[in-house]
Structure formats: C-alpha cells, structure tokens
Amino acid sequence: MTEKQKLPEKKDVGRVSGGRSPHPAYELFVVGELMNGPQHGYKLHAIIQRILGPFQRLSWGTLYPLIRRLEQQGLIMSEREQDDTTASHEGQRQTRKLYHLTDAGRDRFFTLMRDPGEYNSDYPDLFAVKLSKFSLVDASLQLAVLQQYREYLHVLREHYARGSSMVVSNPGIQDQERPFILQLADYHIHSCDATLAWLETKITDLMEQQKKPESEK
C-alpha cells in the first residue's frame, strides 16, 4: 500500500479555526454552488445539509468561518442587501450578505474537482459533493472523479479482506467471537462491492459516451 493509500484516523476536518485549511468537501461545495450564481449563507447551509443527509450536520460555526476564509483568500466576495422579510425591533430592515464567486474562485473549483484528495473517513463526503457538481464539468472530468473513488473503494475493500484473513488465523480471538468479527468485515466488503458495481456502470456509460461522435452525443 502506498503512502497515499493509507487510511488515517478520522480528524475534525470540518473546523477551520486558527491556521487550518478548510475541509476540501465544504470548500468545494461553497465555490461549486456559487458557480451557478450568487447565494446567501443560509441557502448554502440548507443545500449542503441535503447533500450530507439527515444524520450529519454542518454547523454554522463551521460554515461561516469557512466563508470568511474564502473571502479573505479572494475566492469569493460579498455584498450587503436589505432583507425585506425581517426587521429589527426599531422597525428597520435587516441586511444580509450575498456571496459571489470570483475568477480565482472558479479556478479553485476546477482544481478541487480534479484533485483526487487524501484517503480518510471523510472521503465519501468529498465524493458526494463532487457528484453533486457533475453538471458543471465535462465528461472526462466526471470519469476521473468516478475512477478516483473506485480506487479509494478498492483500497478500503482490500483493508477489510486482509483483516478477515488475520481474524481467521489469530489465535488470540475466542472461537465464539470470531464469526461476529468476520460478519462485520463481510458487511463492509459487501458494501464496497455494491458501490463498486454502481461505479462500474457509470464509468462504462461515460466511456461509451466518449466514444460516440459529437453528432450522436
């Protein structure tokens, strides 16, 4: 297994405090959404929650520091506009920020889409965000993203398969415990296989599409 293929322990990659870089999945999401036009922060938060699913929450304490960081880096810019739906206690209308993508932000979006990323427990989130942005990239980049995730799953599957072999031959594991440890590994392997099967169909479809002449696409 190469250095890139190692699966490090889960880290708190969502935090952007101090000098840490923003998590690539969240950064990619923000610049990717702004590729379609300006957005407010609350709308960005609502959309990424739909992508991440009901059991994983992205806090405001993660999103807004990330947005500030991207603005400081010149990847996005903001303008204040009046919010006609809210008013202060004095009856004055509140203002809210509308975020725009800069040219540097567009370049950053394509860089993040091409970057295979580091293998860790958050890699599926990065893939999910990339998958949601396929309408913004061509078929060749879509294919590269699918192939990168396929490689990640092969590494993951190999890890569980190798672990199963070690469990079978490990004399330190009690006989009554061994079947249930193997069952867990089998579950992970089957999960990888199911996703790999889905990926193969998508990769095959894209490769067939690329072979067609432009008049038939």
Side-chain angles (χ1 to χ4, degrees):
M1 184 179 295
T2 65
E3 189 67 27
K4 180 184 185 303
Q5 292 174 329
K6 292 181 179 178
L7 299 172
E9 296 180 358
K10 183 175 178 62
K11 299 178 181 178
D12 184 14
V13 292
R15 295 181 60 190
V16 293
S17 59
R20 300 184 64 178
S21 297
H23 178 27
Y26 302 150
E27 180 182 1
L28 175 60
F29 166 76
V30 172
V31 295
E33 281 301 308
L34 297 183
M35 287 279 288
N36 292 314
Q39 291 282 9
H40 299 100
Y42 72 88
K43 185 70 175 293
L44 292 172
H45 186 265
I47 294 172
I48 195 171
Q49 289 301 165
R50 291 199 294 270
I51 293 174
L52 295 177
F55 305 120
Q56 186 172 348
R57 310 303 296 173
L58 176 64
S59 70
W60 294 105
T62 294
L63 179 60
Y64 276 115
L66 168 59
I67 289 175
R68 287 196 297 270
R69 174 77 66 88
L70 297 179
E71 194 168 8
Q72 291 168 357
Q73 293 174 340
L75 302 179
I76 66 176
M77 57 185 297
S78 64
E79 62 174 326
R80 288 198 173 273
E81 62 174 16
Q82 284 193 342
D83 183 0
D84 295 332
T85 63
T86 61
S88 67
H89 294 298
E90 292 78 20
Q92 295 180 338
R93 289 185 178 140
Q94 300 291 313
T95 62
R96 57 184 180 179
K97 282 189 174 183
L98 185 66
Y99 298 98
H100 302 257
L101 194 65
T102 65
D103 289 341
R106 290 180 61 86
D107 292 341
R108 181 63 175 163
F109 167 76
F110 289 108
T111 296
L112 289 171
M113 286 293 293
R114 288 190 295 266
D115 186 359
E118 295 182 4
Y119 291 171
N120 56 38
S121 57
D122 296 289
Y123 201 77
D125 287 342
L126 179 60
F127 174 69
V129 173
K130 286 186 176 184
L131 201 61
S132 73
K133 302 294 175 263
F134 268 20
S135 64
L136 300 171
V137 299
D138 59 25
S140 62
L141 185 47
Q142 293 176 24
L143 182 61
V145 170
L146 294 173
Q147 290 171 332
Q148 289 161 6
Y149 195 59
R150 179 177 63 180
E151 179 186 346
Y152 162 79
L153 287 174
H154 278 307
V155 173
L156 198 60
R157 190 189 190 284
E158 178 188 348
H159 167 79
Y160 289 119
R162 188 169 57 252
S164 293
S165 299
M166 294 172 62
V167 168
V168 169
S169 60
N170 190 338
I173 297 176
Q174 297 180 358
D175 290 340
Q176 65 267 30
E177 183 183 12
R178 196 184 315 274
F180 298 102
I181 298 177
L182 291 172
Q183 180 176 257
L184 176 60
D186 187 59
Y187 162 75
H188 286 301
I189 290 171
H190 276 75
S191 296
C192 288
D193 286 343
T195 307
L196 282 166
W198 181 86
L199 283 169
E200 290 298 343
T201 62
K202 297 300 180 182
I203 289 172
T204 299
D205 289 346
L206 276 173
M207 294 180 72
E208 290 297 324
Q209 179 183 337
Q210 287 185 318
K211 292 178 182 178
K212 292 181 180 179
E214 287 296 326
S215 58
E216 297 181 16
K217 292 183 180 180

